[in-house]
Amino acid sequence: MSDQHALQQFIDFLQAEGKNITRERLDIFNEVLHQKSHFQIKDIIQKKSNSKHRISRATVYRTIKTIEEAGLIKYIRTINDEKIYETVKEHHDHMICEVCGKIMEFYDRDLEDLQNIICNSYHFTPVRHTMKIFGICEGCQKKK
Amino acid sequence: MSDQHALQQFIDFLQAEGKNITRERLDIFNEVLHQKSHFQIKDIIQKKSNSKHRISRATVYRTIKTIEEAGLIKYIRTINDEKIYETVKEHHDHMICEVCGKIMEFYDRDLEDLQNIICNSYHFTPVRHTMKIFGICEGCQKKK
DNA sequence: CAAATAATTGAGATTGTGTCTCAATTATTT
DNA sequence: AAATAATTGAGACACAATCTCAATTATTTG
């Protein structure tokens, strides 16, 4: 998904919700797009409180929430319970290294299928799920 | 695992760590054991600040952390991002109803095996994992 | 056993995250 | 252009969790 397309999705969402398309909102969304794959709110706040057109903390929180509601970002929790956001691409799960904190994404079709089968047997209708595997990444294993 | 056994495990842990076995620690641990399966720290704080031998908020936090380190409890996050603790029994995963908030536990051997296979293919050594499936429980489906 | 040492506790201060309030500003509608 | 509605910024507020430090309690040692 290109940045342009993502931006359009965000604008569509704002319009659908009857929200105004303001400089602040677009500005924060652009900042989100230009972050490295995993970022924290404090990074955005920091960046935006120094920038030329400074934006307040409250507005950053409000807008991040809006982008989340638009389904364009989501967060996971690290080992230290920090919220780490990422832009939503295809669905995937995570492996998190307990040594260096690296976050890896993976997707496995069999796993998804199996989950649906399990839910079925519990008469539970799945909507979404999160799975995190904590362990030691290849690099950290070699270092030891 | 009986409460007696759990208590012994906690005492063993304290001793192994060179920590004193105090009334406050045992008292909080007992409270944890007597909670219903899923509880929150504020429940314990509330109970212990009224009880005969009152215990401070700080000590409750400290002790819950210790019990967690002992591997005897762990927490999950609800839809509202609240921490919900549970005593550690056999490993299991969770289904969480987005309507009523009910938390169900399940265990599936195939799922566990599959996870190990996936990790293997990524050269990642798994230590533990959490999986939460959000959706709608049987009861809430029927209500609609 | 008593003194010395070490660990723990309680109370409240502090930190950090996130939300709320409300006046001022900006955008939209009429 | 005036009236109306939405958004923003600043700081207050709420809450969870941690920290500080003096007072207390437990443990060790002579």
Side-chain angles (χ1 to χ4, degrees), chain B residues 23 27 47-55:
Chain B
R23 181 183 65 69
D27 203 354
K47 199 85 180 278
K48 287 296 131 194
S49 46
N50 297 328
S51 99
K52 189 175 172 185
H53 300 287
R54 81 179 299 282
I55 301 176

Side-chain angles (χ1 to χ4, degrees), chain A residues 54-68:
Chain A
R54 81 179 299 281
I55 301 176
S56 73
R57 210 165 59 93
T59 298
V60 173
Y61 272 109
R62 284 190 279 240
T63 304
I64 289 292
K65 199 173 204 179
T66 305
I67 301 173
E68 216 180 327

Side-chain angles (χ1 to χ4, degrees), chain A residues 4 6 10 21 24 40 46-47 60 63 70 76-77 81 86 97 101 104 106 120 129 131 133 139 143:
Chain A
Q4 266 315 307
F10 184 47
I21 293 153
E24 288 83 356
Q40 292 184 257
Q46 227 254 303
K47 200 84 180 280
V60 173
T63 304
I76 54 173
R77 294 261 180 190
D81 241 6
E86 60 181 22
C97 178
M104 283 162 285
F106 74 93
N120 232 305
H129 73 261
M131 167 148 117
I133 305 180
K143 264 179 225 155

Side-chain angles (χ1 to χ4, degrees), chain A residues 108-138:
Chain A
D108 187 277
R109 185 60 205 272
D110 292 341
L111 187 65
E112 305 290 320
D113 291 345
L114 184 51
Q115 281 172 29
N116 289 330
I117 292 168
I118 295 167
C119 285
N120 232 305
S121 75
Y122 282 86
H123 303 289
F124 186 85
T125 308
V127 173
R128 66 193 167 85
H129 73 261
T130 65
M131 167 148 117
K132 288 183 287 196
I133 305 180
F134 294 93
I136 307 170
C137 74
E138 200 173 2

Side-chain angles (χ1 to χ4, degrees), chain B residues 34 56 69-70 92 98 113 118:
Chain B
H34 292 133
S56 72
E69 282 162 9
H92 59 258
E98 288 188 324
D113 291 345
I118 295 167

Side-chain angles (χ1 to χ4, degrees), chain A residues 4-101:
Chain A
Q4 266 315 307
H5 182 205
L7 181 61
Q8 193 52 53
Q9 280 199 283
F10 184 47
I11 290 172
D12 289 350
F13 178 81
L14 291 176
Q15 284 174 335
E17 296 280 306
K19 289 178 192 296
N20 293 344
I21 293 153
T22 63
R23 181 183 65 68
E24 288 83 356
R25 284 179 176 149
L26 295 183
D27 202 353
I28 291 168
F29 188 71
N30 269 313
E31 192 54 52
V32 163
L33 290 181
H34 292 131
Q35 287 291 314
K36 54 185 182 321
S37 62
H38 295 105
F39 65 92
Q40 292 184 257
I41 286 198
K42 63 183 177 191
D43 300 333
I44 308 286
I45 291 172
Q46 227 254 303
K47 200 84 180 280
K48 288 295 132 194
S49 46
N50 297 329
S51 97
K52 189 175 173 186
H53 300 290
R54 81 179 299 281
I55 301 176
S56 73
R57 210 165 59 93
T59 298
V60 173
Y61 272 109
R62 284 190 279 240
T63 304
I64 289 292
K65 199 173 204 179
T66 305
I67 301 173
E68 216 180 327
E69 283 161 8
L72 298 170
I73 55 174
K74 62 177 179 179
Y75 69 86
I76 54 173
R77 294 261 180 190
T78 65
I79 339 175
N80 314 317
D81 241 6
E82 293 171 323
K83 278 188 178 180
I84 300 274
Y85 282 85
E86 60 181 22
T87 55
V88 170
K89 291 164 290 199
E90 318 80 51
H91 164 73
H92 59 257
D93 293 305
H94 295 99
M95 291 175 187
I96 303 176
C97 178
E98 287 188 325
V99 179
C100 67

